[in-house]
Amino acid sequence: MPSFIADHPMLCAVALIFIDIAVWRLISADLANWKLAARLAIFAVFSAVLFNDGMNPMQLAPYGDNTALHLAATALQIGWWLFAARTLTVLLGTVMMNRVGHGGRLLQDLLGAVIFLIAIIAAMAYVLDLPVKGVLATSGAVAIIVGLALQSTLSDVFSGIVLNTTKPYQVDDWISIDGTEGRVTDIDWRATRLQTSQGSMAVIPNSLAAKAKIINFSRPADMFGLAVSLQVSPHARPQTVIEALERAMQGCRPLLATPAPSVAFKTSASGGVEYEISGFVPAMGQKREVRNQLYDLAFRHLQAAGVGVLSATESSAPPAMSPARALLERSSIFSTLRQEEKDTFSQNMTLHTYRAGEMILPAGEVSDHLFIVESGVVSVMLIKGGHTFEAGRMGPGEVIGESGILSEQAALADFTAKTFCTLYRIENEYLKPCLDARHDISEAMKALLDFRLHAAQVLTQDAPVVPVKKGFLQWLRNRGL
């Protein structure tokens, strides 16, 4: 070894400890393997310095005739045991991190505590030459007393270890523990922390979580279930309700096709019959939006089928009216017409039916009439790059053909019946006077047309091409240099 190290072993040993601390702090956490390699190398040099000078951690410290040097050597030998424990802990932590990830953090901490405890006992036995049996007996008695005092806390700790080992949930999973629902933000020694949908923080002791019923909404990771319940009149025919709700499901594009969504009867009472629509979406963040959309579609399709969703605020049934007249009431565009205007308008509407797959309005055709969907699901198909794709789906109350009526423009999309559909047709000769007289309806249709034109443009335009940077380095990469 260099002469300086041989002449000043204690000084070099202390310097190595400070170098280890500095290197550990300076190297980024992203370079975990480099940090581990540096610590192993420094520990190896530290061990060589001690053993070379006769400061064997397995024996009593030398320099018995010099109190100052003896105490310094004793401190360095004890430091060797602690340094070894820390190095071994880091090594095991890195190995476990690669195998089990961050979920095993509690187990890593427990192993680290055991390793340090063994190191302290070893230092007391070898370096300080203390009677280990007496120490262990005393420690056992103290452990019993502390264990009884911290029984609840220890239960949380070991429950946390079990949870991290079995992994019923992980950080960022959306779970429910005994009815408390939220996203897991942290799992520590004592508790699991959830961030609820209201933004508040719920702290659940690990001992309670280990015994509770846990629902993990994030597994499997590629589909998330949702359900919508509706209560309808007990006098409505079940088959009519189920068919209307099935059309609502088909009109909701975000629902996954596999597993297929379904409609089921739930309960029946004198006040009403409850049905449930259930399905799956590909992302947790879509659940709320899709639930709202699905309820709206179910409401509209039930109305189109002549079935109303029960409400405690509706004490009397709506007055009887023709299907065309009822459709105008439900239409967001024509609902502002006066009652007599709706009566006259509905008399000039003709009913048309289309089977599934039948074309309603092809792209490129200038429509001289307006369709209002009464029931069924209409598929909207656009063309991009020579390929046809489904851009959206339409349901009861929505209109088709406004581009030809307002500006004599050709339809940009193919409108095809996805299910059996019934639509009411209004000829331009009846519609034009209404648009001229009622500017609010005309403006509403223009806003709808502008929205659809913009949406079609966004969906069919090609993604911008990112320019490739050209430079000397890129030239080298292109040539494999």
Side-chain angles (χ1 to χ4, degrees):
M1 299 183 70
S3 59
F4 180 80
I5 297 178
D7 295 338
H8 307 281
M10 292 188 182
L11 181 61
C12 293
V14 174
L16 285 171
I17 293 176
F18 283 103
I19 291 173
D20 174 76
I21 296 173
V23 169
W24 189 261
R25 291 183 176 274
L26 290 176
I27 298 179
S28 172
D30 298 331
L31 304 174
N33 292 333
W34 285 102
K35 294 179 72 171
L36 176 61
R39 171 150 289 180
L40 289 173
I42 295 173
F43 176 71
V45 175
F46 180 78
S47 301
V49 170
L50 293 189
F51 280 94
N52 184 69
D53 195 56
M55 291 181 284
N56 188 345
M58 310 291 182
Q59 300 174 359
L60 292 175
Y63 310 112
D65 54 344
N66 189 323
T67 304
L69 291 178
H70 180 74
L71 291 176
T74 300
L76 287 174
Q77 288 177 241
I78 294 174
W80 183 91
W81 283 103
L82 298 178
F83 198 171
R86 181 56 182 162
T87 303
L88 181 59
T89 301
V90 172
L91 178 61
L92 290 177
T94 303
V95 173
M96 292 184 64
M97 189 68 67
N98 294 332
R99 293 178 64 88
V100 301
H102 292 276
R105 183 162 57 90
L106 291 181
L107 186 57
Q108 297 172 31
D109 293 343
L110 180 63
L111 287 176
V114 172
I115 291 172
F116 268 95
L117 179 61
I118 294 174
I120 292 172
I121 294 175
M124 294 171 64
Y126 290 111
V127 180
L128 301 178
D129 196 24
L130 294 176
V132 178
K133 292 183 179 180
V135 174
L136 291 177
T138 305
S139 301
V142 173
I144 293 174
I145 297 173
V146 173
L148 292 174
L150 301 177
Q151 185 176 3
S152 176
T153 302
L154 291 176
S155 176
D156 291 335
V157 170
F158 285 102
S159 296
I161 295 173
V162 172
L163 291 173
N164 276 267
T165 304
T166 57
K167 294 184 179 180
Y169 54 82
Q170 294 177 324
V171 174
D172 288 334
D173 282 357
W174 195 275
I175 66 172
S176 172
I177 301 178
D178 263 357
T180 303
E181 184 176 328
R183 183 178 63 86
V184 180
T185 59
D186 186 36
I187 308 171
D188 59 19
W189 283 93
R190 179 184 170 274
T192 296
R193 288 172 172 79
L194 305 180
Q195 184 177 11
T196 66
S197 57
Q198 289 78 27
S200 56
M201 181 67 69
V203 180
I204 301 176
N206 288 331
S207 57
L208 177 61
K211 302 174 184 177
K213 175 184 177 182
I214 299 174
I215 301 176
N216 193 330
F217 301 106
S218 298
R219 299 183 189 177
D222 56 349
M223 60 180 182
F224 302 85
L226 58 85
V228 176
S229 296
L230 304 101
Q231 194 173 37
V232 301
S233 169
H235 304 293
R237 183 185 175 187
Q239 187 62 30
T240 303
V241 176
I242 292 174
E243 289 177 353
L245 295 180
E246 286 178 345
R247 289 193 293 270
M249 291 188 307
Q250 294 185 56
C252 189
R253 291 181 62 221
L255 286 178
L256 294 175
T258 305
S262 61
V263 178
F265 161 81
K266 286 190 68 176
T267 59
S268 176
S270 59
V273 180
E274 186 176 0
Y275 293 85
E276 182 180 75
I277 307 174
S278 58
F280 296 88
V281 291
M284 184 69 186
Q286 291 183 311
K287 286 185 64 174
R288 180 179 301 178
E289 179 184 354
V290 175
R291 276 173 55 88
N292 295 339
Q293 179 184 354
L294 193 56
Y295 185 85
D296 178 73
L297 286 169
F299 184 89
R300 288 157 54 192
H301 281 278
L302 286 172
Q303 274 195 328
V307 180
V309 178
L310 289 185
S311 171
T313 60
E314 297 176 1
S315 56
S316 59
M321 58 182 67
S322 66
R325 179 69 172 76
L327 181 59
L328 291 177
E329 289 287 347
R330 299 195 301 268
S331 173
S332 58
I333 292 180
F334 297 104
S335 60
T336 58
L337 289 172
R338 293 188 296 271
Q339 299 300 325
E340 59 273 14
E341 291 176 330
K342 292 177 183 177
D343 292 335
T344 305
F345 216 69
S346 62
Q347 295 173 5
N348 296 313
M349 297 166 59
T350 56
L351 180 66
H352 293 259
T353 60
Y354 295 87
R355 295 186 299 272
E358 194 172 352
M359 181 68 68
I360 298 174
L361 179 64
E365 180 177 312
V366 179
S367 176
D368 59 352
H369 51 268
L370 188 74
F371 280 119
I372 306 179
V373 182
E374 185 202 25
S375 66
V377 180
V378 177
S379 179
V380 183
M381 309 295 292
L382 289 173
I383 299 177
K384 180 179 180 180
H387 300 283
T388 303
F389 69 97
E390 187 178 47
R393 295 176 187 176
M394 303 171 65
E398 299 189 71
V399 299
I400 301 172
E402 73 285 349
S403 59
I405 297 295
L406 292 174
S407 56
E408 297 184 355
Q409 294 182 11
L412 296 177
D414 287 330
F415 295 87
T416 309
K418 189 171 183 66
T419 66
F420 179 81
C421 297
T422 58
L423 296 89
Y424 275 93
R425 173 169 168 166
I426 309 173
E427 301 298 334
N428 192 21
E429 58 182 289
Y430 298 113
L431 188 59
K432 197 69 174 175
C434 175
L435 296 179
D436 294 337
R438 295 294 301 269
H439 294 289
D440 55 338
I441 296 178
S442 177
E443 291 299 323
M445 290 187 63
K446 288 179 181 177
L448 176 63
L449 176 60
D450 291 340
F451 172 79
R452 289 181 174 177
L453 290 175
H454 176 71
Q457 181 181 4
V458 171
L459 291 173
T460 55
Q461 69 182 2
D462 295 327
V465 179
V466 180
V468 179
K469 294 183 179 180
K470 296 182 179 180
F472 180 69
L473 292 178
Q474 186 63 38
W475 181 82
L476 291 176
R477 293 191 189 100
N478 293 338
R479 284 155 179 77
L481 301 177

